[in-house]
Amino acid sequence: MKYFAIFLFALTFLGSCNSKTSENSEVSGKVEEVDAVTFKNLLASGNGIVLDVRTPEEVAQGIIPDAYVIDIYQSGFEEKLQSLPKDKEVYVYCAVGGRSRQAADILLNNGFTKVYNLSGGIVDWKKNGFEAVKAD
């Protein structure tokens, strides 16, 4: 029974990570799932900010250059998001895309309207040979 419950949880979690676009009638924006190449091109456009929602231990392994770091598990996560400019696009990532997807939905619920989630997270970013730097 314990394994069945774990299986159901994993199935639900994985299913939510595969959605391509999330639209909620209560919010005016949407989350776009993008691959690492598209994410890099978006960053190069200069139209937004990069948000890393991983834990401090993960961040110590390297971040995408110029990323803001706000740990999704940290208390006050939503309040900390308020320090980000709402008139900018937000490019959000985590390790493989699950937590950043949750963070993207939270961003939408907090007034951000254009949010991009890096499918595959920083793992996919590095697989594509893109730069990760040590956090300050």
Side-chain angles (χ1 to χ4, degrees):
M1 187 64 161
K2 175 179 160 186
Y3 294 110
F4 181 72
I6 292 171
F7 171 77
L8 284 179
F9 173 77
L11 188 60
T12 302
F13 178 76
L14 291 174
S16 69
C17 291
N18 289 331
S19 148
K20 288 290 180 196
T21 303
S22 172
E23 293 190 58
N24 183 331
S25 61
E26 296 176 17
V27 296
S28 61
K30 66 179 181 175
V31 176
E32 290 190 42
E33 298 288 329
V34 297
D35 63 16
V37 173
T38 304
F39 199 82
K40 183 168 179 50
N41 290 334
L42 287 165
L43 299 181
S45 75
N47 293 329
I49 58 168
V50 186
L51 176 61
D52 183 328
V53 297
R54 297 175 300 149
T55 65
E57 296 79 19
E58 292 170 305
V59 167
Q61 303 299 311
I63 65 171
I64 293 175
D66 301 318
Y68 289 86
V69 178
I70 306 175
D71 180 357
I72 194 169
Y73 295 134
Q74 190 177 41
S75 68
F77 175 72
E78 285 190 51
E79 291 78 25
K80 289 180 172 79
L81 292 178
Q82 299 307 317
S83 68
L84 303 176
K86 290 185 180 175
D87 61 337
K88 296 274 190 181
E89 295 176 350
V90 181
Y91 315 123
V92 62
Y93 73 95
C94 63
V96 295
R99 286 171 289 168
S100 58
R101 180 53 201 223
Q102 292 172 342
D105 289 334
I106 293 169
L107 285 160
L108 288 180
N109 289 326
N110 279 277
F112 295 84
T113 58
K114 194 67 171 174
V115 182
Y116 296 88
N117 182 43
L118 175 55
S119 297
I122 198 164
V123 169
D124 192 44
W125 177 265
K126 289 179 179 179
K127 261 190 222 175
N128 279 275
F130 301 140
E131 179 183 28
V133 297
K134 292 292 179 188
D136 294 331

